[in-house]
Amino acid sequence: MSLRKKRNMNWYVVYTKPKWEKKVAEQLDALGIENYCPLITQVRQWSDRKKKIEVPLFNSYVFVQLADADRNLVFQSTGVVRYLFWLGKPAIVRDEEIAIIKKGLEEPNRYEVSLHPFKVGDTIALESGPFSNQAAIVQEVNKTHYVVVLESMGCVLKIKC
């Protein structure tokens, strides 16, 4: 199997079975499909110990880069459920957005996040972090966090206060 030339390839978002993101990424690698499963390190507490583990930044999502004609190849991975759709078509993520995510994860402590008294429905521009200069709509405001929607990426961010 050979994938088409890289110039006509888009980044798509595939929805995976719960907790299958890393397995799907490995299966896609084995199939020769370019993919990106952004991971972050978290400390998890058990009753007897603490442990650092890598968890996906986006639950149940893996980014794949392939030509439109090759989109069905991802279903050879048993953990892929479907593509993420936006406005009735498979969601396409721009190369710049993938680069922003990668850059943000390379330097996780470099960015400062500040919160302003926004209200539900406000359109804001994120000023720092991996999603800087992205437009977002405030969906929820409470004492512990804000929830904002990045429409261009079709995702929701929860920002802790």
Side-chain angles (χ1 to χ4, degrees):
M1 149 182 57
S2 70
L3 299 178
R4 303 207 191 315
K5 291 182 182 176
K6 201 167 180 136
R7 62 189 158 115
N8 293 331
M9 297 171 67
N10 292 313
W11 283 101
Y12 297 97
V13 183
V14 293
Y15 186 76
T16 68
K17 293 179 182 178
K19 310 284 187 202
W20 272 66
E21 302 90 348
K22 291 195 272 186
K23 290 178 226 163
V24 165
E26 289 173 8
Q27 291 173 354
L28 294 172
D29 282 339
L31 292 168
I33 297 172
E34 179 74 23
N35 69 83
Y36 178 51
C37 179
L39 301 172
I40 57 173
T41 302
Q42 289 184 342
V43 177
R44 293 281 170 96
Q45 172 93 36
W46 283 267
S47 60
D48 61 338
R49 62 193 157 92
K50 286 183 180 181
K51 185 176 180 181
K52 286 185 178 182
I53 61 170
E54 284 193 322
V55 296
L57 178 62
F58 303 107
N59 291 333
S60 297
Y61 290 160
V62 174
F63 300 98
V64 294
Q65 186 180 38
L66 30 74
D68 187 56
D70 294 328
R71 283 192 308 112
N72 284 335
L73 294 175
V74 300
F75 295 109
Q76 293 178 26
S77 167
T78 56
V80 172
V81 176
R82 62 180 172 81
Y83 278 95
L84 180 70
F85 280 75
W86 181 253
L87 300 175
K89 295 181 181 178
I92 295 176
V93 180
R94 297 188 319 253
D95 290 334
E96 304 83 49
E97 293 167 329
I98 296 293
I100 288 168
I101 295 168
K102 287 180 178 181
K103 183 178 179 184
L105 292 177
E106 287 172 3
E107 303 173 17
N109 299 322
R110 180 175 169 221
Y111 302 101
E112 178 184 321
V113 176
S114 61
L115 298 177
H116 303 282
F118 298 117
K119 61 184 185 298
V120 173
D122 285 351
T123 299
I124 61 171
L126 300 176
E127 295 176 353
S128 65
F131 300 103
S132 62
N133 299 321
Q134 296 292 310
I137 298 173
V138 178
Q139 186 177 46
E140 179 184 327
V141 178
N142 72 32
K143 293 179 183 176
T144 60
H145 65 271
Y146 285 90
V147 174
V148 297
V149 177
L150 296 172
E151 286 188 336
S152 67
M153 295 179 71
C155 69
V156 177
L157 294 177
K158 182 177 181 179
I159 303 171
K160 293 181 182 178
C161 297

